[in-house]
């Protein structure tokens, strides 16, 4: 599934437009402790989190994550939106929980 | 005597601070703000404290060496020391416990400049100070005390990277005697929402990452004498 397809299928809000919506997502990781995400996140995958501070963009960049989904209706700071747009990282959001989003992702992969 | 303070300021050694937060500029701005004392608290490191101590001395300010520790739980904790050598020794201890070491090809993504007095760059910190350290929140107060310092959970009212945001509540078993709140914190409301922090005393810090954010002469501490030791004693006892 590509990033663009995931946005459409899961009705995600686009908070910041990334550079390559046609990229196929390589996996999924859920986490809020940034150091865990850096060491365990899936390069090329989607990262689901409730963290919304500007460090999130830096972590995605370090971990080669092209796409972040903010779960549970969490809204990003303007700083995070701008940083993601600058770095070409998709910043998306949803009212659904991290579990629901990841379950939907797994079903779409099946 | 009264000392007006700001014990939470970052320099250009912190990833997220502006480049013009050099040790000399920080000391100069603290002087302009008419503070009597301030601490330099970069993420996971006190390596700009020697230069900052020099410039604080030139401006006649009382300098308190420090760092902002990021624990395993990604809780930020101010660590203030009486002696710069103790702060640097603790910096070595923390550096050995950093959890994340990004690959060399990512190095161009950040700047962490260590300065000599006179704002002469000494070099770039090779460790990535954005990493958490493998030090648990329950051992932090004791470890910092044994290292000659005082640990103070930082900006506990902030929605991220704070003790209350990351751990949900304060447990007296963590052993802190005071905590820091942000400049704009409504302490009454905080106490109403978090009765668990009622036993703690509060200080305010600017968490300045840019020169204009350094606190004005507003918050003060009563100390017996004008030394870092007396500042730490006052923070521990008042």
């Amino acid at each position: 599934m590509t990033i663009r397809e995931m946005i459409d299928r899961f009705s995600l809000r686009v908070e910041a437009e990334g550079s390559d919506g046609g990229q196929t997502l390589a996996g999924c990781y859920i986490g809020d402790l940034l150091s865990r995400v850096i060491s365990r996140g899936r390069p090329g995958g989607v990262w689901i989190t409730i963290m919304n501070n500007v460090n999130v963009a830096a972590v995605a960049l370090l971990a080669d994550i092209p796409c972040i989904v903010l779960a549970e209706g969490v809204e990003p700071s303007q700083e995070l939106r701008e940083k993601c747009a600058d770095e070409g990282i998709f910043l998306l959001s949803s009212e659904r929980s991290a579990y629901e989003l990841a379950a939907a992702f797994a079903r779409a992969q099946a | 005597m009264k000392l007006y303070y700001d014990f939470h300021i970052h320099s250009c050694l912190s990833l997220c601070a502006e480049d013009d937060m050099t040790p000399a500029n920080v000391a100069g701005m603290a002087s302009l703000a008419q503070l009597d004392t301030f601490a330099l608290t970069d993420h996971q490191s006190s390596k700009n404290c020697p230069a900052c101590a020099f410039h604080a001395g030139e401006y006649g300010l009382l300098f308190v060496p420090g760092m902002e520790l990021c624990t395993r739980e990604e809780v930020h904790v101010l660590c203030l020391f009486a002696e710069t050598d103790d702060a640097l020794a603790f910096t070595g201890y923390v550096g050995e416990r950093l959890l994340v070491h990004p690959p060399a090809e990512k190095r161009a993504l950040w700047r962490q400049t260590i300065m000599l007095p006179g704002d002469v760059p000494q070099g770039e910190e090779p460790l990535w100070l954005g990493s958490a350290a493998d030090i648990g929140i329950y051992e932090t107060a004791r470890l910092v005390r044994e290292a000659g310092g005082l640990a103070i959970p930082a900006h506990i009212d902030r929605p991220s990277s704070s003790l209350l945001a990351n751990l949900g509540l304060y447990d007296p078993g963590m052993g802190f005697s005071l905590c820091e709140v942000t400049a704009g914190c409504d302490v009454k409301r905080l106490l109403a929402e978090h009765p668990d922090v009622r036993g703690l005393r509060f200080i305010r810090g600017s968490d300045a990452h840019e020169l204009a954010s350094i606190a004005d002469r507003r918050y003060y501490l009563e100390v017996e004498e004008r030394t870092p030791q007396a500042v730490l004693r006052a923070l521990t006892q008042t």
Side-chain angles (χ1 to χ4, degrees):
Chain A
M1 183 167 54
T2 66
I3 296 174
R4 195 64 68 192
E5 286 166 353
M6 181 179 71
I7 293 169
D8 294 342
R9 280 203 217 171
F10 302 170
S11 303
L12 302 174
R13 275 192 304 277
V14 179
E15 307 284 358
E17 192 74 32
S19 52
D20 182 12
Q23 184 175 348
T24 298
L25 289 163
C28 174
Y29 184 81
I30 303 173
D32 303 315
L33 274 186
L34 303 182
S35 51
R36 293 295 280 197
V37 178
I38 295 174
S39 51
R40 303 288 183 92
R42 285 291 189 87
V46 54
W47 167 28
I48 304 171
T49 185
I50 53 165
M51 296 301 271
N52 61 350
N53 60 67
V54 71
N55 291 349
V56 164
V59 167
L61 204 58
L62 274 177
D64 292 317
I65 292 169
C67 180
I68 303 160
V69 181
L70 300 179
E72 297 180 11
V74 166
E75 289 181 14
S77 64
Q78 189 53 32
E79 235 184 330
L80 177 58
R81 277 199 192 95
E82 287 166 10
K83 182 80 177 152
C84 286
D86 286 350
E87 301 294 351
I89 298 166
F90 274 91
L91 181 64
L92 312 170
S93 67
S94 171
E95 297 300 319
R96 297 158 86 181
S97 72
Y99 168 75
E100 288 171 324
L101 288 164
F105 185 85
R107 278 196 300 274
Q109 298 296 91
Chain B
M1 75 183 80
K2 273 184 188 174
L3 293 182
Y4 285 86
Y5 70 81
D6 186 351
F7 294 135
H8 193 161
I9 301 176
H10 292 268
S11 79
C12 50
L13 178 54
S14 292
L15 296 163
C16 39
E18 301 283 324
D19 288 345
D20 62 1
M21 290 295 268
T22 61
N25 283 351
V26 167
M29 198 64 188
S31 172
L32 273 178
Q34 295 188 292
L35 296 177
D36 300 307
T37 182
F38 72 99
L40 187 68
T41 51
D42 282 307
H43 294 294
Q44 312 290 42
S45 179
S46 301
K47 288 189 185 174
N48 268 346
C49 286
C52 208
F54 171 82
H55 289 287
E58 298 239 296
Y59 285 105
L61 302 177
L62 178 65
F63 180 70
V64 179
M67 77 155 72
E68 185 174 21
L69 175 69
C70 177
T71 69
R72 189 188 300 140
E73 303 87 354
E74 295 183 4
V75 172
H76 288 189
V77 180
L78 294 177
C79 304
L80 304 183
F81 293 85
E83 304 283 351
T84 300
D85 284 349
D86 288 342
L88 290 173
F90 192 65
T91 297
Y93 180 88
V94 171
E96 287 168 10
R97 286 160 180 78
L98 294 179
L99 288 164
V100 180
H101 300 281
E105 68 265 23
K106 299 276 186 185
R107 287 273 165 84
L109 290 173
W110 64 83
R111 284 164 67 103
Q112 305 176 131
T113 310
I114 303 169
M115 293 277 191
L116 295 167
D119 283 351
V120 179
Q122 185 182 7
E124 291 289 309
E125 168 60 52
L127 295 169
W128 188 61
L129 302 177
S131 169
D134 195 9
I135 295 172
I137 192 72
Y138 278 84
E139 51 183 343
T140 297
R142 176 185 56 79
L143 278 172
V144 176
R145 192 169 55 243
E146 286 171 4
L150 174 66
I152 306 167
H155 43 63
I156 60 158
D157 54 312
R158 234 180 63 176
S160 63
S161 308
S162 75
L163 192 152
L164 294 179
N166 289 23
L167 301 176
L169 52 83
Y170 175 68
D171 171 1
M174 294 171 190
F176 299 105
S177 54
L178 77 167
C179 59
E180 183 209 45
V181 292
T182 60
C185 175
D186 179 347
V187 172
K188 250 188 200 168
R189 195 170 145 192
L190 178 72
L191 289 171
E193 287 171 4
H194 276 279
D196 43 300
V197 296
R198 269 182 199 159
L200 291 170
R201 287 171 293 105
F202 300 97
I203 58 167
R204 301 238 179 202
S206 71
D207 195 2
H209 285 69
E210 53 190 29
L211 288 167
S213 302
I214 291 173
D216 287 324
R217 187 180 173 85
R218 187 160 172 206
Y219 304 110
Y220 67 87
L221 191 69
E222 286 284 351
V223 299
E224 294 158 1
E225 53 177 29
R226 210 175 156 283
T227 62
Q229 287 81 0
V231 165
L232 260 59
R233 263 200 312 278
L235 288 172
T236 313
Q237 291 162 3
T238 47

